[in-house]
Structure formats: C-alpha cells, structure tokens
Amino acid sequence: MEMGLAKGWVPVALDAQIAPGSSHPVVINDMGLAVWRGSSGGAQVWEDRCPHRGMRLSFGFVRDEGLVCLYHGWEFSQGGKCRKIPAHPELDPPKTICTRTFGSLSYRGIVFASLDKAATPDLPADSQEEWLPVRSVFVAVPMDRVATYLGAKDNVFGAVATADGLGCHRLALADGAQITVALQPVGAEKAAVHLTSRGADADLRRTLARYAVRMRRILEIS
Amino acid sequence: MSVTTDPVALNQWIPCAWNGQIRPGATRDTQILGQPIRVTCAPDGAISCNVLDGAAGAVGRALPVTQKFEIIFATLGSDPRPLPKIHEFDEPGRRIANCGSVGVNTSPFRIVENFLDMAHFCFVHTDILGAVDQTEVLSYKCEVRPDADEVWATDCRFFQPAASKSAATNGKGQLTHYKYRVMSPFSVMLYKNVFGREDLDDAICVFIQPKTETECIAYMTMALVDEGSTMTQIIDFQQSIFLQDRIILENQRPALLSFAPNAEIPTKADLSSIAFRRWLKASGITFGTVKEAA
C-alpha cells in the first residue's frame, strides 16, 4: 500500500483538527512538524523548530496570520520569514532568518504535507465536497500492519479498503457511505490513521469513530 | 548512558542533594554524569558518597564530598575546579533560601542559557518578569574574567512589573538591574538589584546535577535582602518562575548544545549566550554537546 496522497505527500491531520488560529505538533518518521492555520486559508506545515534557540514552534501562538514562538516571541509570517524580533523592536529582521517550511494541501477533509518538495498533484473535483471528519487514531504498530488489516475483508468496518489511485484508501459501506482512510507513519512502531466520510450521517460517523478505536485495540493486542 | 569520559565534565563539583534532603540514617541513590551513586547521611549528620558498581549496584569507592551554598556536592574527578566564592552567602542579615531541586530533561547548558536570557521574560514570565509592551533588551556588556575563568554579563537592565516578591508587594514595576555570572559549565547565578536599594543585590544561583547528557536536576539557592516576605513566599515565587521555564527547556530541539556556527541564530540580546558557548568550546568539554561527525 503506497504511502500518502501521491508520491511524496503524507497525511498529518484532519482539516477539522486544525482550527483557525491554532497550532499543533505532528510527527512523521520521528521528525517534528508544526501544523497551524491563520484566521482563514490553508493549514501550514513547518519544521517544529524555531531557528533562534530550537524551541518547538508547535507550542507557539497564532497572531496576525503568523506563528509566534513561545520562547522569545519571534514572529514568522506565512512562507516562514521572520517579521519581528521583540528583543529588538526597531530591527527589520534579516531575510535569512526563516523557518523551514513544507508544502501542504487539503484533500477529502485531510491535511497533507510534502516533505521533499513534491509537485502538487492534480486533485479530482470530488476532493473537497461532502467529506466530513470521522476521527484520527494513533496506533502503536507500524503503518504497514494497519494497511494489511484494512485490506482484509474481516476488518472492523466490514469492507475491504482499496487503493483509489491517489494514495488514500477508500472503503465503500453497504448503505452507500464511503470512508477515506489516510495512513501517517509517526515512527517505526507508531502510525496515525485519519478517517473522513461521505454520505454518512452524524450517527454513522460516531459509529465509525468507535470502530476506529476498536481497530486500534485489535491491532495493539494481537 | 555509561559514565562519561570527558575530563572537563568529570573535574567539576556536581550537586547530589540539598542540605537537609537526606535524613540522618538514610541514603539517596542518584546519578551524576552517567555514574550511579549513593549519598549517605550518618546518624550524626556526616555526609558521604560512594559509587554504585555493576548491574547489582554494589557499593564501590568513596567520592570526595563538600557542602556549600546549602548544597552537597560530589566529584568523580581528581582535580575538580574549585567552587566559586559568593560572598553574599556569608553576609550577616541575609536570608538564605534553599529552593530545593527540580528535574529538567535537557542538557545542562540549555538550563544555563535560559538563566542568562532576558529576552524571554515577556513571553515565558508574562506580567511577572516582563510586560508584553516592553520587550526590548537594552545592550549590555559581556566578558570572560580571566582570573576566575568565569563569564560575566554586566549593565543588564530590563523593565519588570514584579521582579521579586518584595517588588510585587509594592505594586509597581521597576527597571531592574542585573549582573549574570557563569561560575562553571554546570552553574550560573544572577545578581538582581534590591528594590529601592541601589547598593545591594540579591544573589540567585542555579547548580545543575547532570544525571545524563539530557536529564538534569537543578538546585536553586539564594542569598536575599528581603525582610517582608515569608520564606514560603520567596521559595514559591522562584519555583513557579522555574516551572514556567521548564516548559520551554524540555521542548528545545535538539537538547544537546551545538557549537556549529549556523546551527542556531543569535541576536545582540544573546551576547551572554554567545560568550558562554565560545567559553564552553574553549574549555574542551564535549559532554552535553552535539558531537561533530568524524
């Protein structure tokens, strides 16, 4: 099962998880990222490290469409450039002071990041409509074990996951609802599973969320 | 980790308990620089320290111990750097506050740099040591004093709403004058001018016990001029400040300090940390730092 939306893209969170004005830590293959959003617009994905003294930027706060580091208040605008150093209020920070930024996009209600400057793929028209958040679960097993489990027909959802050609996996339920599953490698022995759905009402989405938790229990015990 | 072989780190006095922490007849097992040790308080109050060897933790050779500044120090070295002279601890009329110890999971040098830094007051200690509308760090001086081989920062000034417990009870802020002093790789102190007394400084010290390169215990002791506050108020204030710093300290990446020139980006406000890193590198210490690839 290939990883990610298309080569080079990895899921990091549900869109609904990254509320406007918030900042969150995410780990991909043991590398720390800060995922944040201004008052509107797309989620940003940056290295989780301020270039000043290495403080994790995910602890920072969002102000005026930028991310502010919690340690010394250095402010970084979208694109990663430092725009203010409070210890020297009159100083225009040198252009060389910036955070390391990565590509990001939203697909079927899930935020994806590109760590190695992958080209933005052409997304089909269905990518944003009607996909609602179900859950993210973190599982203490390698990502490949989750993939194998979802590919078997006796999994907790009662439907075999099939690759949909864009790197996510889709499960089609008997009543017509569809689930998108995106797998994130957190570390060698830990993965995140992000689920959104289309054509499922609120009750069914709650049920699917409980199934995801049951899946975690099954995977971690066996 | 196994015990360090770094001779600069080994030849330091390392804190292993605070004065009164171990009751007569009791022991405390801990670790310094990767070496498990046992600190013993005899029934008559005499303190001794031994290494613990092997998987079974057999009691091994005795280590030299000494007591100063309300702290018990031990050393693994044969020729340790002498403990500093801090005359405020001997001045009559001073209140000596032993603030105990706090565990912090980071390199000892991240702790020292955080203690030297003023630019974080407005963000980490908001409305206590700094205000959000007064963030400027005024220029100050920094030097290595060759006689004691210590790093000193002087002429440090910062506007503070409530710089110590006694200033807070007066209800207004002050432009606080500070001096900073790095006495050894694992210890740092500041002199903070006493509110209303230009000629007097409070002395606030941090002595660090590195258990490993990235796990430390920080001991804080102070020699203060403060007749108004209770000892509980004084200790509570310092501990709450330190716990605010710990959130930062445990979330800096990497934990180890790097000497590489482009690893991190300092500004003028970081003059003391720049001097500290240069001084550390010149000392030859490698414990607690990012090791350069061969």
Coordinates of all heavy atoms in Angstrom, one line a residue, chain B residues 1-12 14 33 76-77 109 185-186 213 259 280-281 283-289 291:
Chain B
M1 N 22.9 6.1 29.9 CA 24.3 6.2 29.3 C 25.3 5.6 30.2 O 25.1 5.5 31.4 CB 24.6 7.7 29.0 CG 24.7 8.6 30.3 SD 25.2 10.3 30.0 CE 27.0 10.1 29.9
S2 N 26.5 5.3 29.8 CA 27.5 4.9 30.6 C 28.2 6.1 31.2 O 27.9 7.2 30.7 CB 28.5 4.0 29.9 OG 28.9 4.6 28.6
V3 N 29.1 6.0 32.1 CA 29.8 7.1 32.7 C 30.6 7.9 31.7 O 31.2 7.3 30.8 CB 30.7 6.7 33.8 CG1 31.2 7.9 34.6 CG2 30.1 5.6 34.7
T4 N 30.5 9.2 31.7 CA 31.2 10.0 30.7 C 32.7 9.8 30.9 O 33.2 9.5 32.0 CB 30.9 11.5 30.8 OG1 31.4 12.2 29.7 CG2 31.4 12.1 32.1
T5 N 33.5 10.0 29.8 CA 34.9 10.0 29.9 C 35.5 11.4 29.7 O 36.7 11.6 29.7 CB 35.6 9.1 28.9 OG1 35.1 9.5 27.6 CG2 35.2 7.6 29.1
D6 N 34.6 12.4 29.6 CA 35.0 13.8 29.4 C 35.7 14.3 30.6 O 35.1 14.5 31.6 CB 33.7 14.6 29.0 CG 34.0 16.0 28.8 OD1 35.1 16.6 29.2 OD2 33.1 16.7 28.2
P7 N 37.0 14.6 30.5 CA 37.7 15.1 31.7 C 37.3 16.4 32.3 O 37.4 16.7 33.5 CB 39.2 15.1 31.2 CG 39.1 15.3 29.8 CD 37.9 14.6 29.3
V8 N 36.8 17.3 31.4 CA 36.3 18.6 31.8 C 35.1 18.4 32.7 O 34.9 19.0 33.8 CB 36.0 19.6 30.7 CG1 35.6 20.9 31.2 CG2 37.3 19.7 29.8
A9 N 34.1 17.6 32.2 CA 32.9 17.3 33.0 C 33.2 16.6 34.3 O 32.7 16.9 35.4 CB 31.9 16.5 32.2
L10 N 34.1 15.6 34.2 CA 34.5 14.8 35.4 C 35.1 15.7 36.5 O 34.9 15.5 37.7 CB 35.4 13.7 35.1 CG 34.8 12.6 34.2 CD1 35.9 11.6 33.7 CD2 33.8 11.8 35.0
N11 N 35.9 16.7 36.1 CA 36.6 17.5 37.1 C 35.8 18.7 37.5 O 36.2 19.9 37.5 CB 38.0 17.9 36.6 CG 38.9 16.7 36.8 OD1 39.2 16.3 37.9 ND2 39.4 16.2 35.7
Q12 N 34.5 18.5 37.9 CA 33.6 19.5 38.4 C 33.0 19.0 39.7 O 32.8 17.8 39.9 CB 32.5 19.8 37.5 CG 32.9 20.3 36.1 CD 33.6 21.6 36.0 OE1 33.3 22.5 36.9 NE2 34.4 21.8 35.0
I14 N 29.7 18.3 41.4 CA 28.4 18.1 40.9 C 27.4 18.0 42.1 O 27.7 17.2 43.1 CB 28.3 16.8 40.1 CG1 29.3 16.8 39.0 CG2 26.9 16.7 39.5 CD1 29.1 17.7 37.9
L33 N 26.6 12.4 35.9 CA 27.4 12.2 34.6 C 27.4 10.7 34.1 O 28.3 10.2 33.6 CB 28.9 12.6 34.8 CG 29.1 14.1 35.3 CD1 30.5 14.4 35.6 CD2 28.5 15.1 34.3
L76 N 33.6 13.2 40.6 CA 34.3 12.0 40.1 C 35.7 12.2 39.6 O 36.4 11.3 39.2 CB 33.4 11.5 38.8 CG 32.0 11.0 39.1 CD1 31.3 10.8 37.8 CD2 32.1 9.7 39.9
G77 N 36.1 13.5 39.7 CA 37.5 13.9 39.2 C 38.5 13.9 40.3 O 38.1 13.9 41.5
F109 N 23.5 22.8 29.6 CA 23.8 24.1 29.0 C 22.6 24.8 28.5 O 22.6 26.1 28.4 CB 24.8 23.9 27.9 CG 26.0 23.1 28.3 CD1 26.4 22.0 27.5 CD2 26.6 23.3 29.5 CE1 27.5 21.2 27.9 CE2 27.7 22.5 29.9 CZ 28.1 21.5 29.1
P185 N 30.8 25.2 34.0 CA 29.9 24.7 33.0 C 28.5 24.4 33.5 O 27.6 24.5 32.8 CB 30.7 23.5 32.4 CG 32.1 23.7 32.7 CD 32.1 24.5 34.0
F186 N 28.4 24.0 34.8 CA 27.1 23.5 35.3 C 26.6 24.4 36.3 O 25.7 24.0 37.1 CB 27.3 22.1 35.8 CG 27.9 21.0 34.9 CD1 28.8 20.1 35.3 CD2 27.5 21.0 33.6 CE1 29.4 19.2 34.5 CE2 28.0 20.1 32.7 CZ 29.0 19.2 33.2
E213 N 23.5 13.2 29.8 CA 23.6 14.4 29.0 C 22.3 15.2 28.8 O 22.3 16.4 28.5 CB 24.2 14.0 27.6 CG 25.6 13.6 27.6 CD 26.1 13.5 26.2 OE1 25.8 12.5 25.5 OE2 26.8 14.5 25.7
F259 N 27.9 23.6 18.9 CA 28.9 24.6 18.7 C 29.0 25.0 17.2 O 29.8 25.9 16.8 CB 30.3 24.2 19.1 CG 30.4 24.0 20.6 CD1 31.1 22.9 21.2 CD2 29.8 24.9 21.5 CE1 31.2 22.7 22.5 CE2 29.9 24.7 22.9 CZ 30.6 23.6 23.4
L280 N 32.7 27.7 26.6 CA 32.5 26.2 26.7 C 33.3 25.5 25.7 O 34.0 24.5 26.0 CB 31.0 25.8 26.5 CG 30.0 25.7 27.6 CD1 28.7 25.1 27.1 CD2 30.6 24.9 28.8
K281 N 33.3 25.9 24.5 CA 34.0 25.3 23.4 C 35.5 25.3 23.7 O 36.2 24.3 23.6 CB 33.7 25.9 22.1 CG 34.4 25.2 20.9 CD 33.9 25.7 19.6 CE 34.6 24.9 18.5 NZ 34.4 25.5 17.1
S283 N 36.9 25.4 26.6 CA 37.2 24.6 27.7 C 37.5 23.1 27.3 O 38.1 22.3 28.0 CB 36.1 24.6 28.7 OG 35.0 23.7 28.3
G284 N 37.0 22.7 26.1 CA 37.2 21.4 25.6 C 36.1 20.4 26.0 O 36.2 19.2 25.7
I285 N 35.1 20.9 26.7 CA 34.1 20.0 27.1 C 33.3 19.5 25.9 O 33.1 20.1 24.9 CB 33.1 20.7 28.1 CG1 32.3 19.7 29.0 CG2 32.2 21.7 27.4 CD1 31.6 20.3 30.2
T286 N 32.9 18.2 26.0 CA 32.1 17.6 24.9 C 30.8 17.0 25.5 O 29.8 17.0 24.8 CB 32.8 16.4 24.2 OG1 33.2 15.5 25.2 CG2 34.0 16.9 23.5
F287 N 30.8 16.7 26.8 CA 29.6 16.2 27.5 C 28.5 17.3 27.3 O 28.7 18.5 27.5 CB 29.9 16.0 29.0 CG 28.7 15.6 29.8 CD1 28.4 14.2 30.0 CD2 27.8 16.5 30.4 CE1 27.3 13.8 30.7 CE2 26.7 16.1 31.1 CZ 26.5 14.7 31.3
G288 N 27.2 16.8 26.9 CA 26.1 17.8 26.8 C 26.1 18.5 25.5 O 25.2 19.4 25.3
T289 N 27.0 18.2 24.6 CA 27.0 19.0 23.3 C 26.8 18.0 22.1 O 26.9 16.8 22.3 CB 28.4 19.7 23.1 OG1 29.4 18.7 22.8 CG2 28.8 20.5 24.3
K291 N 27.8 16.1 19.1 CA 29.2 15.6 18.7 C 29.3 15.8 17.2 O 28.5 15.4 16.4 CB 29.4 14.1 19.1 CG 28.9 13.8 20.5 CD 29.7 14.5 21.6 CE 29.2 14.1 23.0 NZ 28.0 14.8 23.4

